[in-house]
């Protein structure tokens, strides 16, 4: 079970991932009372095979990290095009610690700048890659906060 007690199957299903993510974010947004979770959709559906529990884990970890960074707002922008589903996640938290010279190190096992285990983003990366996708911290960042880009390919 996830934070929002959203019903999830551990087996892979064939469904619209955009619709699933939207429904999940709607369900979980009420769990984080101090964080405004919102989302925007561009494009059409994105039918593929995925494990609902794994997608929930990815979304939970991204929101939890933003919350740890004291973000009050998290925006998920989902866009479909050229056989890809791109999910840009931007928050207004404290952003990356200035001492991190290679931002994508945050996805390494055990890497943490908080009281966390250093496993959340590592597991998130493993799940995204197991679904044929990638996750990265792009060079272009907001003035305040952090932006992470997740891409899923069929």
């Amino acid at each position: 079970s996830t934070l929002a007690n959203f019903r999830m199957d551990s087996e892979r299903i064939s469904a619209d991932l955009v619709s699933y993510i939207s429904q999940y974010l709607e369900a979980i947004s009420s769990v984080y009372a101090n964080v405004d979770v919102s989302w925007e959709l561009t494009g059409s559906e994105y039918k593929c095979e995925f494990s609902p529990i794994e997608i929930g884990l990815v979304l939970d970890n991204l929101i939890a990290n933003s919350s740890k960074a004291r973000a009050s707002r998290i925006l998920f922008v989902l866009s479909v095009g050229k056989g890809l589903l791109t999910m840009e996640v931007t928050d207004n938290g404290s952003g990356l610690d200035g001492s991190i010279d290679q931002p994508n190190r945050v996805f390494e096992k055990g890497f943490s700048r908080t009281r966390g285990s250093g496993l959340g983003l590592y597991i998130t990366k493993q799940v995204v890659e197991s679904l044929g996708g990638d996750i990265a911290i792009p060079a272009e960042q907001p003035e305040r906060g952090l932006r992470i880009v997740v891409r899923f390919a069929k």
Side-chain angles (χ1 to χ4, degrees):
S1 176
T2 62
L3 292 174
N5 291 323
F6 197 75
R7 185 184 171 281
M8 296 197 299
D9 298 311
S10 59
E11 294 161 16
R12 290 173 85 89
I13 62 170
S14 183
D16 177 14
L17 185 54
V18 171
S19 177
Y20 182 82
I21 290 172
S22 300
Q23 291 170 18
Y24 188 84
L25 291 174
E26 187 169 337
I28 199 169
S29 62
S30 62
V31 173
Y32 289 93
N34 56 346
V35 182
D36 173 31
V37 178
S38 59
W39 56 97
E40 297 173 3
L41 310 174
T42 306
S44 59
E45 64 183 21
Y46 187 81
K47 288 216 181 243
C48 66
E49 282 195 10
F50 62 92
S51 164
I53 200 161
E54 289 179 338
I55 295 299
L57 184 69
V58 167
L59 298 171
D60 285 346
N61 280 333
L62 292 171
I63 295 170
N65 275 12
S66 292
S67 184
K68 285 179 191 171
R70 296 179 305 284
S72 61
R73 191 176 66 251
I74 306 165
L75 174 63
F76 289 78
V77 177
L78 304 167
S79 55
V80 177
K82 298 179 184 162
L84 288 176
L85 167 59
T86 302
M87 180 172 69
E88 291 188 25
V89 184
T90 306
D91 70 31
N92 67 345
S94 56
L96 280 183
D97 182 318
S99 68
I100 301 172
D101 58 342
Q102 297 174 324
N104 286 305
R105 285 198 59 224
V106 301
F107 301 111
E108 292 177 5
K109 189 175 186 177
F111 189 93
S112 180
R113 289 291 189 262
T114 67
R115 60 190 180 282
S117 65
L119 293 177
L121 287 176
Y122 170 75
I123 291 169
T124 297
K125 181 177 170 72
Q126 300 303 307
V127 169
V128 167
E129 288 178 347
S130 78
L131 295 169
D134 64 70
I135 184 169
I137 297 175
E140 190 177 310
Q141 289 293 313
E143 203 169 296
R144 173 169 171 76
L146 182 66
R147 184 166 69 101
I148 293 178
V149 176
V150 182
R151 287 185 192 88
F152 296 101
K154 289 185 183 180

